[in-house]
Amino acid sequence: MEELNIAPQTQSEPVPGAAFEPAIVAFVCNWCTYTAADLAGTSRMVQSPNVRLVRMMCTGMVDPKYIIKALLGGADAVLISGCHPGDCHYINGNYKARRRVKLLMEILPRFGIDGRRIKLTWVGASEGNEFAATVNRFAAEIKELGPIDTRRLPLL
Amino acid sequence: MPSRIGVYVCHCGTNIAGRVDSAGVARHAAGLKNVAVARDYKFMCSDPGQDMIIKDIREMGLTRVVVASCSPRLHEKTFQKACQRGGLNPFLFQMTCIREHCSWVVVDPAEATAKAKSLVAGAVSRVNEHEELYSRVEAVHPDVLVVGGGIAGIQAALDIARSGHKVHLVERGPSIGGHMTQFDKTFPTLDCAACISTPKMVAVSQEPNINLMTMSEVVEVKGYVGNYTARIRTRPRYIDQNRCTGCGLCMEKCPKSVPSEFEEGIGQRKAIHRNSPQSVPNTPIIDPASCIYLVKGKCGSCQKNCPSQAIDFTQEESYLDVRAGTIVLATGFDILDPTALSQYGFGRYPEVYTGLQFERLNNAVGPTGGKIVMKNGQAPESVAIVHCVGSRDKNHHEYCSRVCCMYALKYDHLIKDKIGHHARVYNFYIDMRCFGKGYEEFYRRVQDEGVIFIRGRPSEVTDQTQGPEEAGKLIVVAEDTLLGRPVRVAVDMVVLCTAMQPRSNAAEVARIFGISQGQDGFFLEEHPKLGPVSTATDGIFLAGTCQGPKDIPDAVAHASGGAGQALSLAARGEVSISPTVSWINPDICIGCKMCVGLCAYSAIEYDERRRVCVINEAMCKGCGSCAGHCPSGAAQVRHFNEKQVFAELEGLFAPAQPVRQPVASSAT
Ligand SMILES: Cc1cc2nc3c(=O)[nH]c(=O)nc-3n(C[C@H](O)[C@H](O)[C@H](O)COP(=O)(O)OP(=O)(O)OC[C@H]3O[C@@H](n4cnc5c(N)ncnc54)[C@H](O)[C@@H]3O)c2cc1C
Ligand code: SF4
Ligand code: SF4
Ligand code: FES
């Protein structure tokens, strides 16, 4: 098996003259936010094309390593989204995710990553409109923030 | 050996190909590492589409398959089965969604195509890391648990019991029957509610396969599909059901009267009471909050008068564990309390009623013996019926309650029938929704009876009169939107058709059973069209109005659906359980026990001898809470492990490579 090296950045390379199109990874749980994304699609709610969904069974399985890997591997931002508090299909996985993301947000700035590049939201299965709005809002925020420059991170 | 991947990009007619260049995506995929063949096709889920995959697996020796099409929530199983038919383990497959998440939501074709390419690359990269997994087969316990004994729960319980399976029917209240037992007549046929519900209720009590538990609630559910254990709490009735003959003498002698919940507050009941003589079981109950003996320790009149010594003040709350393979939830609905819509004066003006109160006014065993009369005992000369109170209203419930138009028509008819043709009836409606079988005909019939329909939502109900002709009346103020002018209608009585809404304890019930509520608060079905009775939790089904507003025919049909699904599992006797659960690698685990406390299902135990944690796969649900936290990386969710997620991320961001080989296009 090939070693898991970090792929070179492509999407977020600033092309002179072209508007910055961020690449965003969204780790979403199967039961709520992924379902909401399906509903947003079925209802043809236009979304910015910058977000790539990675389907997880629950936000509780989103290892902080995955978030860091995404940021170092080409994503300008990471969205983690699951069921509303109390609604997690696995009782309380989302509370665990919340704790973990909070810790991560405290640590990442020390390595030069802006905390605004990580967002945790709750989007329930029936909230297609909320999903589309979240995606569009986040994409706009990251466009504003500009590309991540991992080469200049003290971490590397 | 490197894997040989087959990639299949669907057009979904024009649903995908109308925006995404499916053939271009396939060409892109063909250039990705380890891809042996990439094709695009009109409908991958069709038989020819699936056959294409099967043929390629067999003839080209594919060891991995990727399909880019609709959401995996729709067709993942379809393609997994196709892989299996081709001889490939179904978990060596990955699906990525380029319809709901791409072609339907990205406007620009170039952007949509680029996104689809990236998603496919992610899936291709991930599938390299997939491992063969094997589903576990477990026995399904033949008994079924039905929760809620309204007409829906009754129907489900009877259907299941008659097939020979045992049913535990758990009802929170003292009697089964639910809201239907409060009605007098039912639309559109005007059958008497008791005449059609009582036989069903009696059938429940006489059915040997039904274990009926009233005054009971499920407080905890453990296990998984096929193997649930429910803990049931039963509150005391203070009457020995085996001794009580239902004679009712105790109720006559009880000195304490309080407003009755069953009569919706417009009638009284005793401390020892039962909803109606047709209650099943017909044993009364003592309400501990109002019983003089239970509060103050003296009285005991019922005990002295009971000819069968059935009164037992020593009864206590009890718990029972029952096992069941599947569960049907039929916990029904509540009606909205219209006090919040203060403009309609409910609670302020005595002659403003809710629909359920009006049902009781009509009921032959209700507080007025079935006579429609005002608080002063006189029959109203004029009645206003306000539709959509709290329904189709952004401030309360956006949805339509689906029964109000029809029961309003029922009231129209009953008023004309009981009070006489001279009684004036005004309906304030937004739209008339008479969609069911025989409903439009009923609407016509009522129109012919001389009922008045005013299109407009009233702005208020008031007693502020503007002239002598309005004196002593309630005035309904509205705009007639058909005529475009304001109207004031003075009436003796106002009936509010209040919205059906989720039970006040729906959130609690959803939590106990591990299911979700939709935006409206009703329990969420698996799919709004194709899975209206199943839930996202395997083995738990919905019946009746707990899923959304329904009339009786729809609630009964829905309940039979739920019963059918529960039975199909019970009859099959076994169920295959997903192998996508977690596993702790004993060679890596450092025995920190972090995961033990994180697992919400108590599936992890510490093995003292080996000093590592071990997951009980039968109890693990695969949530990954342990894996997300394990500091050593020993805990991993199968099919969602670190290698797989990393590979997906790498694929998503890998730069496009030049195409190595021509695409084998099967597009027509
Ligand atoms: C005013 C009014 C008039 C209507 N008139 C008509 C009509 O004429 N014709 C018609 O077709 N439809 C009519 N309907 C609709 C009809 O009431 C419903 O379709 C029907 O009652 C739904 O039955 P159900 O079993 O789903 O719910 P319910 O009748 O609400 O029964 C639910 C049962 O579950 C029990 N329960 C609740 N929570 C729990 C729990 N946690 N544990 C255990 N048990 C629990 C409750 O005690 C209850 O017995 C009317 C509705 C209203 C509001
Ligand atoms: S003890 Fe007295 S108050 Fe209590 S139920 Fe019996 S008669 Fe009624
Ligand atoms: S994945 Fe881990 S935390 Fe979740 S149920 Fe299984 S053992 Fe428990
Ligand atoms: S399943 Fe959605 S957050 Fe846990």
Side-chain angles (χ1 to χ4, degrees), chain B residues 256-276:
Chain B
K256 178 77 184 238
S257 282
V258 291
S260 159
E261 302 82 4
F262 185 74
E263 301 295 352
E264 297 292 325
I266 60 168
Q268 300 279 312
R269 64 158 168 84
K270 294 292 181 62
I272 182 165
H273 64 285
R274 77 181 160 209
N275 292 346
S276 88

Side-chain angles (χ1 to χ4, degrees), chain A residues 107-121:
Chain A
I107 295 166
L108 283 183
R110 283 190 238 158
F111 294 97
I113 295 179
D114 193 320
R116 285 173 291 177
R117 295 191 186 275
I118 304 167
K119 188 182 217 134
L120 176 69
T121 59

Side-chain angles (χ1 to χ4, degrees), chain B residues 312-589:
Chain B
D312 176 3
F313 289 114
T314 65
Q315 274 185 4
E316 283 180 3
E317 199 171 83
S318 61
Y319 289 85
L320 179 74
D321 285 342
V322 300
R323 286 190 59 202
T326 51
I327 298 174
V328 178
L329 287 179
T331 51
F333 67 99
D334 277 342
I335 65 162
L336 172 122
D337 176 358
T339 326
L341 292 103
S342 58
Q343 69 270 31
Y344 295 146
F346 181 77
R348 211 154 11 107
Y349 307 128
E351 293 310 320
V352 178
Y353 296 84
T354 65
L356 280 182
Q357 288 178 329
F358 195 73
E359 294 287 347
R360 295 314 296 160
L361 275 189
N362 274 279
N363 195 293
V365 293
T368 58
K371 287 205 210 54
I372 305 175
V373 289
M374 299 183 285
K375 301 264 154 63
N376 64 10
Q378 303 278 308
E381 293 288 304
S382 49
V383 183
I385 298 177
V386 182
H387 295 216
C388 302
V389 175
S391 306
R392 310 178 67 196
D393 178 344
K394 272 214 149 62
N395 299 318
H396 299 276
H397 298 303
E398 274 192 65
Y399 55 80
C400 160
S401 289
R402 294 179 95 244
V403 294
C404 315
C405 287
M406 287 307 297
Y407 72 67
L409 292 174
K410 170 174 80 177
Y411 298 164
D412 293 340
H413 170 84
L414 289 172
I415 295 165
K416 289 282 185 187
D417 188 49
K418 289 191 174 177
I419 302 175
H421 189 65
H422 63 283
R424 276 163 295 127
V425 190
Y426 303 90
N427 285 268
F428 291 87
Y429 71 102
I430 309 181
D431 301 292
M432 286 306 291
R433 297 192 162 169
C434 310
F435 48 80
K437 185 167 175 174
Y439 289 12
E440 183 67 20
E441 295 88 325
F442 187 64
Y443 179 29
R444 290 252 161 253
R445 171 177 165 191
V446 172
Q447 278 178 318
D448 290 343
E449 289 176 12
V451 173
I452 300 155
F453 291 87
I454 299 171
R455 188 167 193 267
R457 196 197 282 272
S459 56
E460 70 171 331
V461 174
T462 175
D463 60 358
Q464 301 292 303
T465 53
Q466 283 186 355
E469 72 289 353
E470 291 184 348
K473 306 255 178 191
L474 289 170
I475 299 101
V476 183
V477 186
E479 186 191 317
D480 185 326
T481 56
L482 290 181
L483 298 177
R485 62 177 169 80
V487 288
R488 287 174 67 86
V489 180
V491 292
D492 292 327
M493 183 185 271
V494 175
V495 181
L496 304 178
C497 299
T498 44
M500 288 170 87
Q501 65 182 25
R503 285 267 177 198
S504 57
N505 66 349
E508 171 76 1
V509 173
R511 190 189 56 74
I512 291 172
F513 290 91
I515 59 165
S516 310
Q517 291 170 279
Q519 209 156 18
D520 51 18
F522 289 103
F523 296 148
L524 192 66
E525 62 285 336
E526 189 173 19
H527 189 279
K529 281 166 246 144
L530 302 179
V533 295
S534 42
T535 65
T537 303
D538 289 339
I540 300 191
F541 304 101
L542 303 175
T545 49
C546 61
Q547 181 254 354
K550 282 175 194 60
D551 50 27
I552 295 167
D554 284 1
V556 168
H558 196 239
S560 281
Q565 300 225 353
L567 269 182
S568 76
L569 268 173
R572 180 134 185 253
E574 58 178 42
V575 59
S576 93
I577 307 234
S578 168
T580 58
V581 295
S582 289
W583 177 70
I584 293 175
N585 185 338
D587 297 335
I588 302 178
C589 176

Side-chain angles (χ1 to χ4, degrees), chain A residues 61 90 96, chain B residues 580-584 595-604 614-617 619-628 635-637:
Chain A
M61 64 165 67
Y90 304 101
K96 294 162 194 156
Chain B
T580 58
V581 295
S582 289
W583 177 70
I584 293 175
C595 52
V596 177
L598 285 170
C599 178
Y601 301 97
S602 315
I604 311 182
V614 182
I615 292 176
N616 176 342
E617 294 198 3
M619 287 164 80
C620 172
K621 306 256 184 196
C623 71
S625 285
C626 51
Q636 291 286 331
V637 197

Side-chain angles (χ1 to χ4, degrees), chain A residues 35-142:
Chain A
T35 311
D38 282 0
L39 184 61
T42 315
S43 326
R44 312 293 199 275
M45 291 169 173
V46 173
Q47 292 156 41
S48 114
N50 311 70
V51 177
R52 308 274 182 275
L53 262 52
V54 176
R55 179 174 171 227
M56 307 298 273
M57 290 317 279
C58 173
T59 53
M61 64 165 67
V62 181
D63 191 319
K65 271 187 293 215
Y66 301 169
I67 301 171
I68 296 171
K69 166 83 182 172
L71 288 172
L72 297 185
D76 295 292
V78 174
L79 175 72
I80 303 106
S81 182
C83 315
H84 285 278
D87 283 356
C88 172
H89 186 71
Y90 304 101
I91 305 176
N92 53 18
N94 48 2
Y95 291 119
K96 294 162 194 156
R98 183 163 65 186
R99 249 191 344 248
R100 219 168 290 160
V101 170
K102 190 167 171 285
L103 280 176
L104 196 63
M105 297 254 230
E106 283 171 19
I107 295 166
L108 283 183
R110 283 190 238 158
F111 294 97
I113 295 179
D114 193 320
R116 285 173 291 177
R117 295 191 186 275
I118 304 167
K119 188 182 217 134
L120 176 69
T121 59
W122 312 130
V123 178
S126 54
E127 300 174 329
N129 45 356
E130 184 56 34
F131 176 77
T134 304
V135 161
N136 289 334
R137 228 181 297 128
F138 195 40
E141 282 165 22
I142 301 305

Side-chain angles (χ1 to χ4, degrees), chain B residues 70-87:
Chain B
C70 52
S71 168
R73 291 178 57 256
L74 294 175
H75 272 309
E76 187 172 46
K77 290 221 167 76
T78 313
F79 295 120
Q80 283 189 317
K81 281 190 192 132
C83 290
Q84 207 158 18
R85 286 202 302 279

